[in-house]
Amino acid sequence: MLGDAAHPMPPTLGQGGNQAVEDAIVPAHHAHALAAYTAARLPRTTAITRQAVRAARFSMSTGRAPTAVRDTALAALSRAVPGLLLRGFASVADWRPPQPPYASGRSTAGKR
């Protein structure tokens, strides 16, 4: 299972499709090694899923008072520390594909 099927999460971070793309890339670096693939993907996808759930709970608060508190806090934080909220998403956007030596375990240093 890859992508949304493997990592169901609220759409609050817009990561369902992105996780599917990452899931498609990682197996190429862990050929025939499901355990290595799982070890490579599980920490990231778990963290992103949890972050999406927290964002959903925060953004979908209901009721007059909780909504007013949320909106006021967001506006105040955005004015006081510009970019603070965006920095919270840095770990979502910083993914890079696995690097050599890939699944073979052999170094490619010095080979051309």
Side-chain angles (χ1 to χ4, degrees):
M1 289 185 4
L2 302 172
D4 286 346
H7 322 294
M9 63 183 78
T12 50
L13 300 180
Q15 284 296 300
N18 292 344
Q19 293 307 300
V21 170
E22 290 179 22
D23 283 346
I25 293 169
V26 172
H29 301 280
H30 298 289
H32 309 296
L34 185 58
Y37 166 79
T38 300
R41 293 296 297 148
L42 191 59
R44 176 168 171 76
T45 57
T46 299
I48 288 177
T49 299
R50 287 181 178 156
Q51 188 174 358
V53 168
R54 284 192 306 271
R57 286 183 181 145
F58 182 74
S59 67
M60 294 179 186
S61 60
T62 59
R64 203 175 225 150
T67 302
V69 169
R70 178 200 63 210
D71 293 350
T72 302
L74 282 174
L77 274 174
S78 294
R79 276 191 231 95
V81 187
L84 176 67
L85 297 174
L86 290 177
R87 283 194 299 266
F89 296 101
S91 64
V92 173
D94 70 352
W95 184 80
R96 298 289 181 265
Q99 299 300 307
Y102 305 123
S104 70
R106 294 181 301 225
S107 175
T108 57
K111 293 183 181 178
R112 303 237 183 246

